[in-house]
C-alpha cells in the first residue's frame, strides 16, 4: 500500500535533511503508528504520501502510484484514494455536519443521489446519527473529530492518514476516536497515524515506526511508545 | 463538474467580498465606458467622413475685378481658367459661381444670423470656381497648379478644414482611449487583488478541496468565474452608461450639427455594435487576469 525506498528529503531552506534514507513498507489493511519528537520528520513523511512534496532522493509508492514520476494532473486521483484527519479538525464553520461531509464528495464531482445516500451512512458509522444538521461550533471536540473522520472516510479511501488526531482531545474522548479508527481499519482501510500520545500507542499494541532526526530508528510489529523514556 | 456547486461558490464569493466586488465593477464599468466612447467616436468619424467624401471641393477664388466685371465667365482670363480646369485630368466637375450666386449661398448658410447677412454686400464676396476632384485625397494638384495664375486670388482646399475637424475628433478619441487604458490598469489590479482576497478568505475550503482530491478546475473555476461575472456586470453597466450619455447629453449637444448634416449622429445601432466588443474585452481581461493571478499567487 505504501512503500518508501531510501527516501531523503531536503528542504531548500534547511541544511539538515528532514528525512534521510528512509525505507518503510506498509501493507494493505495495516494499522501503523508513526511516532517521534517534533521535527523528527513525521509531517514530511505524511506530506510525501499526499504528494504535497516530492522526495529529493529515493522513490515513494502509494496504492500502485509512483509518486516520484506522477504528473501533476494525476495528483487529485491519488488524493481521492487517501483520507486525511488532522489535530485541528479543519471543518468548514459555515456548513452543517452533513454539508461538511458532503462537501468532500461535491468537489470531486460525485452525483447528488450518491451523496444523499452515503452521507447518512457514514455519519451513522462514526456515531453522529441525529446530528447531521448541527453546526461544527455546536459540537464537542470529539464530535468534531468524528465529523472530520466521516469526511475523510466517506469516499471509502484505501488509506487513512491521521496527523495527531487526538492531540486536542481528552484521554476518554481520545479512546473513543481510537476505537473509531480501529473500526475503520477493520473494514480493510490502511491507517497511518502520527502521534505523540504515549498511552494510546501503548494500549493499542500495533506496529510502531519511530523517526528521529529524519531517520527510522525503530520499526516494531507490536510496539509501545518508548521503553524507559 | 457540478454546475450548481460551482455556481453557489461564485455567489458566496461575490457576496463575501462585496465592497471589493463593487469597486471592481465600478472601475471596470468606467474603463469600458471610456473605451466604448472612443469606439463610438471612431464610428462617428467614419460615418461623417463618408458624408463629406463626395462633397469635398477645392475653391478657386477669382480676383476682385473679374468678380465685378465677368459675371457670366465669358471673357479671359476667366474663360481660359474654366477651360483649363475642365481639361484637367484630376478634375471631376467644375462649376462657376459668380458674385450673386455666392451671396445667395452665404445667405443660406448664415440664415440663423440675419445681422451678419444684413451687414454683408454681394460686392464683398468673390466669384469662384468650385472644383470637385476625381481623387478627393489629393487636392494639392489643383492648389499648386492654379495658385498665382492670372485672375486667381487664392485657392482654398476645403479638406484642410475637414482635416482640422477630424483631428479634433481623433484627439478626443485618443484621449478617451488613454484614460480608458489607465482605468483598465486600475481595474486589472483590482481584479487581481479581489481574486487573491477571495482565495485567501476561502483558503480552508480550498485546502480541504485539494486534500480530498478535487481537480484544479474545481478549486479554481469559482474564482475565475467570480472575476468574469464582475467583469460582465461592469460591461453591462458601461453599455448602460453609454446609452444614458447618448440620450441625455450627446443627442442634445449635437442636435444642430446633425440637422445641418455637418456630423452624423451616434445611433442606438452603433452602441449595439460596440457592446459585444466591450463584453468580450471585459470577459477576456478578467479571465486572463484571474488565471494569471491564480497561477502566480495561489498554490494548487
Amino acid at each position: 500500500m505504501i512503500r518508501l525506498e531510501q527516501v531523503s528529503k531536503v528542504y531548500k531552506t534547511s541544511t539538515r535533511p528532514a528525512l534521510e534514507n528512509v525505507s518503510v513498507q506498509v501493507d494493505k489493511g495495516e494499522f501503523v503508528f508513526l511516532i517521534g519528537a517534533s521535527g523528527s520528520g513525521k509531517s514530511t513523511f505524511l506530506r510525501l504520501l499526499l504528494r504535497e512534496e516530492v522526495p529529493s532522493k529515493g522513490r515513494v509508492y502509494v496504492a500502485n502510484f509512483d509518486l516520484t514520476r506522477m504528473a501533476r494532473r494525476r495528483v487529485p486521483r491519488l488524493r481521492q484514494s487517501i483520507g486525511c484527519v488532522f489535530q485541528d479538525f479543519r471543518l468548514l464553520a459555515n456548513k452543517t455536519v452533513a454539508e461538511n461531509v458532503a462537501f468532500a464528495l461535491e468537489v470531486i464531482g460525485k452525483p447528488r443521489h450518491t451523496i444523499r445516500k452515503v452521507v447518512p451512512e457514514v455519519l451513522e458509522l462514526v456515531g453522529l446519527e441525529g446530528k447531521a444538521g448541527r453546526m461544527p461550533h455546536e459540537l464537542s471536540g470529539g464530535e468534531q473529530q468524528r465529523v472530520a473522520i466521516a469526511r475523510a472516510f466517506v469516499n471509502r479511501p484505501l488509506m487513512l492518514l491521521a496527523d495527531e488526531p487526538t492531540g486536542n482531545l481528552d484521554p476518554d474522548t481520545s479512546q473513543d476516536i481510537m476505537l473509531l479508527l480501529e473500526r475503520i481499519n477493520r473494514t480493510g482501510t490502511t491507517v497511518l497515524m502520527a502521534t505523540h500520545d504515549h498511552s494510546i500507542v501503548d494500549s493499542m499494541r500495533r506496529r510502531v515506526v519511530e523517526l528521529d532526526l529524519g531517520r527510522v530508528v525503530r520499526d516494531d510489529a507490536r510496539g509501545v511508545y518508548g521503553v524507559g523514556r | 463538474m457540478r454546475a450548481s456547486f460551482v455556481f453557489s461558490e461564485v455567489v458566496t464569493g461575490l457576496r463575501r467580498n462585496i465592497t471589493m466586488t463593487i469597486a471592481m465593477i465600478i472601475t471596470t464599468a468606467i474603463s469600458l465606458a471610456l473605451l466604448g466612447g472612443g469606439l463610438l467616436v471612431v464610428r462617428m468619424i467614419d460615418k461623417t467622413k463618408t458624408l463629406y467624401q463626395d462633397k469635398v471641393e477645392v475653391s478657386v477664388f477669382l480676383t476682385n475685378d473679374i468678380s465685378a466685371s465677368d459675371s457670366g465667365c465669358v471673357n479671359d482670363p476667366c474663360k481660359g481658367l474654366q477651360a483649363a480646369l475642365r481639361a484637367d485630368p484630376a478634375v471631376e466637375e467644375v462649376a462657376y459661381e459668380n458674385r450673386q450666386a455666392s451671396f445667395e449661398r452665404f445667405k443660406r448658410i448664415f440664415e440663423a444670423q440675419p445681422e451678419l447677412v444684413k451687414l454683408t454686400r454681394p460686392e464683398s464676396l468673390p466669384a469662384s470656381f468650385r472644383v470637385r476632384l476625381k481623387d478627393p485625397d489629393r487636392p494639392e494638384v489643383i492648389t499648386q497648379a492654379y495658385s498665382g495664375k492670372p485672375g486667381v486670388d487664392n485657392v482654398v482646399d476645403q479638406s484642410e478644414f475637414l482635416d482640422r475637424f477630424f483631428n479634433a475628433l481623433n484627439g478626443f478619441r485618443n484621449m478617451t482611449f488613454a484614460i480608458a487604458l489607465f482605468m483598465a490598469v486600475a481595474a486589472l489590479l483590482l481584479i487581481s487583488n479581489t481574486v487573491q482576497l477571495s482565495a485567501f478568505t476561502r483558503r480552508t475550503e480550498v485546502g480541504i478541496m485539494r486534500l480530498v482530491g478535487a481537480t484544479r478546475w474545481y478549486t479554481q473555476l469559482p474564482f475565475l468565474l467570480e472575476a468574469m461575472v464582475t467583469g460582465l456586470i461592469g460591461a453591462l453597466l458601461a453599455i448602460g452608461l453609454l446609452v444614458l450619455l447618448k440620450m441625455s447629453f450627446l443627442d442634445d449637444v449635437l442636435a444642430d450639427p446633425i440637422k445641418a448634416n455637418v456630423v452624423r449622429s451616434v445611433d442606438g445601432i452603433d452602441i449595439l455594435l460596440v457592446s459585444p466588443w466591450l463584453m468580450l474585452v471585459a470577459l477576456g481581461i478578467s479571465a486572463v487576469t484571474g488565471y494569471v493571478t491564480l497561477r502566480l499567487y495561489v498554490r494548487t
Side-chain angles (χ1 to χ4, degrees):
Chain A
M1 178 60 48
I2 303 172
R3 200 162 85 242
L4 276 72
E5 291 177 355
Q6 296 170 331
V7 168
S8 295
K9 176 67 190 177
V10 186
Y11 290 106
K12 280 190 199 113
T13 49
S14 166
T15 46
R16 187 179 70 79
L19 286 179
E20 203 174 348
N21 207 20
V22 169
S23 297
V24 173
Q25 177 161 348
V26 176
D27 294 330
K28 184 168 164 39
E30 265 195 284
F31 194 118
V32 181
F33 286 113
L34 189 63
I35 64 169
S38 299
S40 59
K42 299 193 298 292
S43 297
T44 302
F45 193 105
L46 295 181
R47 290 172 67 80
L48 284 174
L49 298 182
L50 285 166
R51 209 196 180 262
E52 299 230 30
E53 305 284 350
V54 282
S56 314
K57 243 190 275 169
R59 292 210 172 281
V60 179
Y61 299 91
V62 173
N64 298 326
F65 291 107
D66 180 353
L67 270 53
T68 27
R69 284 190 196 160
M70 181 178 246
R72 270 169 65 113
R73 64 185 168 77
R74 298 196 54 199
V75 172
R77 178 72 61 80
L78 165 78
R79 291 183 184 159
Q80 285 178 22
S81 62
I82 304 175
C84 277
V85 181
F86 300 93
Q87 185 174 0
D88 56 359
F89 319 139
R90 300 199 188 170
L91 300 178
L92 299 173
N94 56 349
K95 290 190 192 294
T96 66
V97 167
E99 284 166 356
N100 262 286
V101 177
F103 183 77
L105 296 175
E106 280 171 351
V107 300
I108 57 172
K110 290 280 184 219
R112 203 170 309 177
H113 60 88
T114 311
I115 296 176
R116 265 203 294 267
K117 185 169 151 284
V118 298
V119 169
E121 282 174 12
V122 79
L123 284 178
E124 194 189 330
L125 177 86
V126 300
L128 285 176
E129 60 270 40
K131 302 214 163 158
R134 299 286 189 90
M135 300 304 280
H137 66 89
E138 299 171 334
L139 303 177
S140 70
E143 287 169 329
Q144 287 189 46
Q145 193 60 294
R146 283 168 191 273
V147 180
I149 291 171
R151 182 180 64 193
F153 190 63
V154 69
N155 196 29
R156 304 287 155 155
L158 301 166
M159 179 166 86
L160 190 71
L161 300 183
D163 193 359
E164 312 244 7
T166 59
N168 274 345
L169 305 175
D170 62 62
D172 284 350
T173 316
S174 296
Q175 274 307 325
D176 294 343
I177 293 296
M178 290 318 296
L179 287 175
L180 179 55
L181 290 179
E182 258 198 317
R183 194 184 317 159
I184 283 173
N185 179 233
R186 275 202 300 273
T187 66
T189 309
T190 311
V191 177
L192 181 65
M193 171 171 162
T195 186
H196 280 127
D197 198 324
H198 295 223
S199 57
I200 282 175
V201 177
D202 292 349
S203 68
M204 298 268 295
R205 303 297 298 222
R206 295 298 191 113
R207 182 174 167 194
V208 172
V209 174
E210 182 174 357
L211 289 172
D212 185 41
L213 296 174
R215 292 168 174 277
V216 177
V217 293
R218 182 157 66 107
D219 190 345
D220 291 344
R222 299 182 76 78
V224 291
Y225 193 89
V227 191
R229 286 187 200 214
Chain B
M1 179 76 43
R2 292 258 314 274
S4 60
F5 168 77
V6 175
F7 180 75
S8 75
E9 286 290 296
V10 170
V11 173
T12 326
L14 289 174
R15 287 207 346 228
R16 190 150 16 187
N17 300 320
I18 189 74
T19 49
M20 279 296 258
T21 307
I22 292 172
M24 219 164 107
I25 289 175
I26 291 175
T27 31
T28 313
I30 294 177
S31 164
L32 288 171
L34 285 163
L35 176 68
L39 291 175
L40 286 178
V41 172
V42 172
R43 284 192 62 80
M44 198 170 108
I45 291 174
D46 286 348
K47 282 164 67 179
T48 308
K49 267 188 180 154
T50 59
L51 190 70
Y52 285 106
Q53 200 79 67
D54 51 345
K55 289 187 189 158
V56 177
E57 290 175 341
V58 175
S59 299
V60 179
F61 289 105
L62 302 176
T63 52
N64 206 22
D65 53 321
I66 297 178
S67 308
S69 59
D70 198 353
S71 71
C73 198
V74 287
N75 305 312
D76 273 331
C78 185
K79 198 177 160 192
L81 280 169
Q82 192 172 32
L85 280 168
R86 287 215 168 112
D88 198 309
V91 173
E92 171 82 32
E93 198 183 330
V94 184
Y96 179 66
E97 189 178 73
N98 65 18
R99 205 161 239 182
Q100 197 54 42
S102 184
F103 183 62
E104 295 304 320
R105 201 154 65 91
F106 181 85
K107 281 202 289 193
R108 217 170 48 240
I109 293 172
F110 292 102
E111 66 186 346
Q113 285 145 288
E115 310 83 17
L116 191 66
V117 176
K118 218 179 287 174
L119 284 170
T120 312
R121 301 268 146 261
E123 295 79 58
S124 48
L125 297 170
S128 64
F129 290 113
R130 312 198 72 82
V131 182
R132 268 214 297 138
L133 300 174
K134 283 198 174 116
D135 181 0
D137 293 333
R138 298 190 59 221
E140 62 278 359
V141 267
I142 300 299
T143 43
Q144 274 164 18
Y146 292 88
S147 298
K149 280 218 168 165
V152 174
D153 188 30
N154 64 347
V155 182
V156 173
D157 165 18
Q158 275 184 351
S159 65
E160 267 176 44
F161 298 109
L162 283 178
D163 281 349
R164 227 173 292 165
F165 173 62
F166 286 128
N167 277 343
L169 283 180
N170 280 332
F172 181 69
R173 176 202 63 191
N174 291 343
M175 199 179 71
T176 59
F177 279 162
I179 303 174
L181 196 72
F182 275 110
M183 289 301 291
V185 172
L188 218 83
L189 294 176
L190 264 175
I191 293 170
S192 171
N193 258 317
T194 313
V195 169
Q196 284 179 62
L197 186 71
S198 205
F200 183 75
T201 49
R202 266 185 284 169
R203 61 196 182 286
T204 327
E205 274 103 324
V206 173
I208 292 165
M209 285 164 95
R210 289 177 50 222
L211 268 179
V212 300
T215 57
R216 235 181 53 184
W217 276 114
Y218 256 99
T219 46
Q220 301 203 337
L221 196 65
F223 301 114
L224 214 60
L225 285 178
E226 251 174 74
M228 289 172 76
V229 165
T230 26
L232 197 64
I233 296 175
L236 292 176
L237 215 62
I239 294 163
L241 273 175
L242 287 178
V243 171
L244 205 72
L245 197 75
K246 172 192 147 53
M247 294 201 303
S248 68
F249 174 71
L250 216 56
D251 282 356
D252 285 345
V253 169
L254 291 179
D256 287 336
I258 289 168
K259 216 182 289 167
N261 242 352
V262 176
V263 294
R264 278 285 166 87
S265 70
V266 174
D267 299 327
I269 186 97
D270 292 323
I271 296 180
L272 205 69
L273 283 172
V274 164
S275 300
W277 291 108
L278 295 186
M279 289 197 267
L280 221 63
V281 166
L283 285 177
I285 286 184
S286 51
V288 169
T289 314
Y291 183 75
V292 170
T293 306
L294 287 170
R295 281 314 278 276
L296 289 181
Y297 297 105
V298 183
R299 271 200 60 184
T300 52

